[in-house]
Amino acid sequence: MRRPKNLLLRCAAVLAAGLAFSFAASGPAGAAGPQPVSPSELSKATDAARSSDALSLLGKAGGTAKAATSVARDTHPIYALNPAFVRDASAPVATFWYAATSAAQGGRTLTVFTAPDDQGDWHAVNVASGNTEARMVSAAAGALVFTEPQIGAWYAVSGTQVRPLNQSAVKSIGAKPITITAYQELVAHRYADKLPGTQYNESGMAGGYDATASTSTSTTARSTNHHVAAIAAATGVLALVLLLLARRRYND
């Protein structure tokens, strides 16, 4: 399904601000996981997921116009692989990416994404089909959930171990948990030459994807590739915001 261009651009602007927020609040060096998002901030995220802006995004999600819409009050922080961790095992393994709140519309399961802007105010920035985040949080059984978006892998961090949560993660690290150290060695090998400042990044590649090449997702995704490249310059291997959203949204 083709999605409004202005919605994708808004995702780029606000999620880029959210990523900047995550680096500032990623926790002390040497920690396996990032500093958790506080309950008060998650409450703000929930409010944003139930705001008029969020309902407007839900209204554009492709369902029946008059279908009843409900948004849960249970919001989960979602983290993503930390570029600093790729360089240095003493850095937190992941940083905050966005908050996910489940929603329902006319029998369809959806997820509302929220993120803080540079002032710390939370906004609804995207609506995704399905409930991937909620399923991964449930599978993590209380452990911190993070994703390696470049390969679609989801993991749980417990103490000094990384545990796979989906098939992509199993393909990445195997079926059993591995140590944080072993995971750092793996991602360092996988991404160290693709971080900001490397020739790979400077040549226009964004975390493994050519930001100038067309994709098979939609004409909207293709028309916004230059926005992906702009974010990539600032956020390195986690700069797949629009490509990731375009691949998953409405295709879950």
Side-chain angles (χ1 to χ4, degrees):
M1 173 173 289
R2 186 172 298 179
R3 302 184 53 228
K5 181 177 180 180
N6 64 339
L7 179 56
L8 284 172
L9 299 186
R10 187 176 180 193
C11 292
V14 181
L15 280 179
L19 283 168
F21 169 88
S22 74
F23 284 104
S26 60
Q35 178 178 330
V37 179
S38 70
S40 62
E41 290 300 312
L42 286 180
S43 178
K44 294 176 185 177
T46 299
D47 289 343
R50 299 171 63 86
S51 68
S52 57
D53 284 349
L55 293 177
S56 178
L57 293 182
L58 285 163
K60 298 174 183 177
T64 304
K66 295 183 179 180
T69 300
S70 62
V71 181
R73 295 186 178 275
D74 192 10
T75 295
H76 304 288
I78 301 300
Y79 300 84
L81 175 63
N82 182 4
F85 177 76
V86 174
R87 293 191 180 97
D88 183 358
S90 68
V93 65
T95 54
F96 173 76
W97 199 14
Y98 58 89
T101 307
S102 296
Q105 182 186 72
R108 301 169 64 226
T109 301
L110 303 165
T111 301
V112 180
F113 286 18
T114 56
D117 61 21
D118 57 2
Q119 302 299 314
D121 297 323
W122 288 78
H123 303 272
V125 296
N126 193 58
V127 171
S129 65
N131 62 345
T132 297
E133 289 79 6
R135 290 189 290 106
M136 295 302 105
V137 168
S138 177
L144 182 141
V145 172
F146 80 97
T147 180
E148 188 180 331
Q150 296 80 4
I151 60 173
W154 290 82
Y155 309 94
V157 179
S158 300
T160 61
Q161 290 193 319
V162 174
R163 173 166 58 91
L165 295 178
N166 70 347
Q167 190 57 44
S168 293
V170 170
K171 184 177 180 180
S172 171
I173 68 171
K176 296 181 179 180
I178 63 173
T179 65
I180 291 285
T181 299
Y183 181 68
Q184 195 277 333
E185 292 173 354
L186 186 154
V187 295
H189 176 76
R190 189 174 287 166
Y191 303 120
D193 62 344
K194 300 171 179 65
L195 294 171
T198 63
Q199 183 177 358
Y200 183 91
N201 181 255
E202 294 300 323
S203 68
M205 301 290 280
Y209 293 90
D210 186 346
T212 62
S214 63
T215 71
S216 61
T217 52
S218 69
T219 55
T220 302
R222 289 193 289 271
S223 70
T224 57
N225 277 334
H226 59 290
H227 295 282
V228 178
I231 299 172
T235 60
V237 297
L238 294 185
L240 301 180
V241 175
L242 298 187
L243 286 173
L244 175 65
L245 298 181
R247 286 181 172 215
R248 179 196 158 200
R249 307 320 151 205
Y250 312 110
N251 291 292
D252 212 32

